[in-house]
Amino acid sequence: MQFFRFLCVGGAGFVVDWSVFSTLLASSSTPFFARLIAFWCAVMTTWLGNRFFTFTQAQRVRVISQLSKHVLISHLFGVVNLGVFWLFLPLTNVHVAFVLGILLATVGNFLLSKRWVYKPS
């Protein structure tokens, strides 16, 4: 059930990510700049969703510590996400590259989130 909730929060993060990315791309931003801004918006969305919906026991954990850990692993898997995006960008449609980057980072993100970021003290 927890993984399903994680996927739902990730889905909300994806919608934020996709929407911001598409909006910035349509307004003549470079794909990489649009991707970075969209990623940060998604990071904050998923932190809030995971804290209050997926890992509800984690609400007792100190906010700054938890947010710092979330940002750290988001960046770790963000590097994976952006690396895959950048690697596939010349080979496929920009939106396909976008989705591939997200898919490859999801499982590792969940495992570290469960075992480290949102682990009850």
Side-chain angles (χ1 to χ4, degrees):
M1 189 63 171
Q2 197 171 48
F3 186 66
F4 176 73
R5 286 178 178 224
F6 183 82
L7 291 176
C8 288
V9 169
F14 177 82
V15 168
V16 168
D17 205 345
W18 183 279
S19 299
V20 172
F21 176 72
S22 297
T23 300
L24 290 173
L25 201 58
S27 68
S28 301
S29 290
T30 64
F32 199 72
F33 175 77
R35 194 67 202 92
L36 286 172
I37 299 301
F39 171 77
W40 262 95
C41 292
V43 165
M44 295 311 295
T45 300
T46 56
W47 174 66
L48 289 168
N50 283 324
R51 180 172 173 83
F52 294 106
F53 180 67
T54 306
F55 303 103
T56 55
Q57 79 286 357
Q59 291 177 30
R60 294 182 298 273
V61 176
R62 292 176 51 206
V63 171
I64 298 301
S65 171
Q66 187 184 74
L67 178 58
S68 299
K69 290 175 182 178
H70 179 78
V71 168
L72 180 67
I73 70 156
S74 293
H75 278 83
L76 172 68
F77 289 104
V79 168
V80 171
N81 185 335
L82 291 172
V84 170
F85 173 75
W86 198 251
L87 181 67
F88 281 90
L89 189 58
L91 306 173
T92 188
N93 176 287
V94 67
H95 291 96
V96 171
F98 175 87
V99 171
L100 287 173
I102 290 171
L103 290 175
L104 291 175
T106 298
V107 172
N109 194 327
F110 173 74
L111 293 173
L112 274 179
S113 290
K114 181 176 180 155
R115 293 192 172 111
W116 185 53
V117 177
Y118 300 100
K119 182 179 179 181
S121 335

